[in-house]
Amino acid sequence: MTSRVLEGRFADPDREPLLGNADVTPPESDTDAGEVAYERMKNKRNSDGGDGRNALSFEEAVEQAGFGLFHGILLVVCGWANASDAVEILCVSFLLPTARCDLQLSSSDIGLLTASIFLGMMIGGYVWGYLADQQGRKRVLVISLSVNGVFGALASLAPSFWLFLLLRFVSGIGVGGSIPVIFSYFSEFQPRCRRGAMISGLATFWMAGNILAAGLAWLVIPSTGLRFQLGSLDFQSWRLFVVLCSVPSISSAFIFGLFMTESPKFLMEAGQEAEAIEVFLKMFTFNNRGSAKAFPWHSLVLQEPGLPHQISGLQSITMCDNEEIVMDTKLHRLTHKLKQVLSPISKMFITPLTSRSIILFILFFCISFGYVCNY
């Protein structure tokens, strides 16, 4: 038997993940599983006589980094990205009355145009979510926000309905990536005691995006003076509105690409201890400005020996020699990759997560259905 390691980016066999599973058996209490595991790990380290200040788990490191200015800046940056997704989704609803005559839309065309961005979000949501676990939250956010903004802006130049529909669909693929990943990225910087409140704060920026889209539509679309000729294209005010709606996404992509750090949890899962410590140090420095308090640790806790692990982007597969030959065919490589991409779905239906996953699916479907029906 031979072993093959897929996903070459994390294919270094000597590189240990810094985050381990606390227990492979189902927790006794579903509700408090995370806190129980955290307390057990901390108590075990204290009872062993280890220096808890110098070697910390992920949750302990986030707690020690403090809470303050860094998290305020993070809330504004991530909130702006969240608002940009709301603007892009609501954009079509505001421009339809004006664009209907320009693009000669029928009732069925309007239905297709409204649904196109959501269809793109369905596809993009899963693809970008998988890539975020493989390549990192920050990289996926930059790319998905760029796709959202660039293709949203290009839609303003579409001379026909079908090209406009295609560009809105691709823009939806970008929206589908940034919405779920931004919440994962944001929550991985938050201390446990403040995580719920901060995520709620991030969600309020969605409403701010709705207000921004409505305000832009009110200011721009009725203005006949903004109409001009761009070659053979009659560039009316609704097209300018489409361009303006793409600005939040593009600006968010630039901000994340130039100034924001990678998620420390992802860095620890990838075995990048030095980079993760650097992020925690930056959080500590921002949150303790003007304080003489010292940086309280020097290393992060490695996974305890003997515990099984599976980290994002690193999967080991054991196969026979003849199976390796079969894998060389394009069809089997494609089939194997598809199974690998879809495997996270099956993990949501493993006990004790099955009932919780089903309930959350139903709740989120009902909330989304009621929300979209308003438009």
Side-chain angles (χ1 to χ4, degrees):
M1 305 287 286
T2 60
S3 295
R4 173 175 294 180
V5 179
L6 299 180
E7 301 297 334
R9 183 165 182 243
F10 303 122
D12 185 355
D14 297 327
R15 203 170 207 180
E16 276 192 70
L18 301 174
L19 292 178
N21 298 328
D23 197 349
V24 293
T25 59
E28 295 180 3
S29 174
D30 236 7
T31 309
D32 302 323
E35 294 188 10
V36 170
Y38 170 73
E39 293 297 334
R40 284 178 180 173
M41 182 183 296
K42 186 168 66 173
N43 293 337
K44 183 179 187 302
R45 189 176 302 118
N46 293 337
S47 64
D48 290 342
D51 187 355
R53 295 180 305 164
N54 295 332
L56 303 180
S57 68
F58 167 74
E59 290 289 356
E60 291 170 331
V62 172
E63 296 286 344
Q64 289 292 334
F67 182 87
L69 179 60
F70 179 89
H71 294 85
I73 296 173
L74 184 70
L75 177 63
V76 173
V77 173
C78 292
W80 181 242
N82 192 31
S84 72
D85 292 327
V87 171
E88 199 64 38
I89 290 175
L90 293 178
C91 172
V92 172
S93 300
F94 289 115
L95 63 83
L96 277 177
T98 307
R100 181 171 188 171
C101 297
D102 192 20
L103 296 176
Q104 299 178 350
L105 304 179
S106 64
S107 298
S108 60
D109 291 338
I110 292 175
L112 281 174
L113 188 57
T114 305
S116 63
I117 191 168
F118 295 107
L119 180 59
M121 289 171 61
M122 286 179 60
I123 298 172
Y126 191 82
V127 173
W128 290 117
Y130 173 77
L131 290 175
D133 288 337
Q134 307 295 313
Q135 305 295 328
R137 318 284 193 247
K138 175 184 172 181
R139 178 180 296 184
V140 166
L141 279 172
V142 171
I143 297 175
S144 61
L145 286 167
S146 299
V147 169
N148 177 9
V150 170
F151 284 91
L154 288 176
S156 67
L157 302 174
S160 64
F161 162 71
W162 290 107
L163 181 56
F164 188 78
L165 179 71
L166 176 62
L167 293 171
R168 295 302 304 173
F169 168 76
V170 178
S171 176
I173 293 177
V175 175
S178 54
I179 287 179
V181 177
I182 197 67
F183 279 90
S184 298
Y185 175 87
F186 181 75
S187 65
E188 289 170 0
F189 288 91
Q190 307 304 322
R192 288 183 307 127
C193 60
R194 299 179 183 268
R195 195 168 293 156
M198 290 298 287
I199 292 176
S200 298
L202 177 61
T204 61
F205 280 85
W206 184 270
M207 298 302 105
N210 292 350
I211 296 172
L212 177 60
L216 283 174
W218 177 67
L219 289 172
V220 175
I221 293 179
S223 301
T224 55
L226 297 176
R227 181 177 182 176
F228 60 92
Q229 199 71 21
L230 186 63
S232 60
L233 182 66
D234 183 13
F235 203 90
Q236 299 185 29
S237 58
W238 69 265
R239 294 183 182 272
L240 178 60
F241 171 68
V242 172
V243 174
L244 293 176
C245 285
S246 68
V247 172
S249 297
I250 296 175
S251 60
S252 293
F254 275 107
I255 293 172
F256 271 96
L258 296 176
F259 303 109
M260 304 306 291
T261 66
E262 180 55 87
S263 159
K265 185 173 183 179
F266 174 81
L267 292 172
M268 292 177 70
E269 288 180 340
Q272 301 179 35
E273 181 180 17
E275 292 84 349
I277 290 178
E278 189 176 329
V279 173
F280 286 127
L281 176 58
K282 181 178 291 188
M283 294 170 61
F284 181 85
T285 303
F286 270 83
N287 292 334
N288 294 276
R289 294 173 67 90
S291 172
K293 187 178 179 181
F295 194 55
W297 69 89
H298 303 291
S299 63
L300 300 171
V301 175
L302 295 171
Q303 178 172 310
E304 296 181 21
L307 289 179
H309 66 269
Q310 179 178 358
I311 67 171
S312 302
L314 179 62
Q315 297 183 6
S316 298
I317 300 175
T318 303
M319 59 185 70
C320 300
D321 292 338
N322 59 341
E323 290 178 322
E324 291 183 4
I325 297 174
V326 173
M327 284 291 294
D328 287 337
T329 65
K330 291 183 178 180
L331 178 60
H332 284 81
R333 284 202 301 271
L334 179 61
T335 303
H336 171 74
K337 191 63 178 179
L338 184 61
K339 289 180 180 178
Q340 189 179 8
V341 170
L342 295 177
S343 64
I345 292 181
S346 62
K347 295 177 183 177
M348 293 189 295
F349 297 97
I350 297 176
T351 307
L353 300 178
T354 305
S355 59
R356 180 181 297 179
S357 296
I358 293 174
I359 292 172
L360 288 175
F361 283 155
I362 295 173
L363 287 175
F364 194 75
F365 173 83
C366 294
I367 292 172
S368 301
F369 184 82
Y371 175 78
V372 175
C373 280
N374 293 326
Y375 301 98

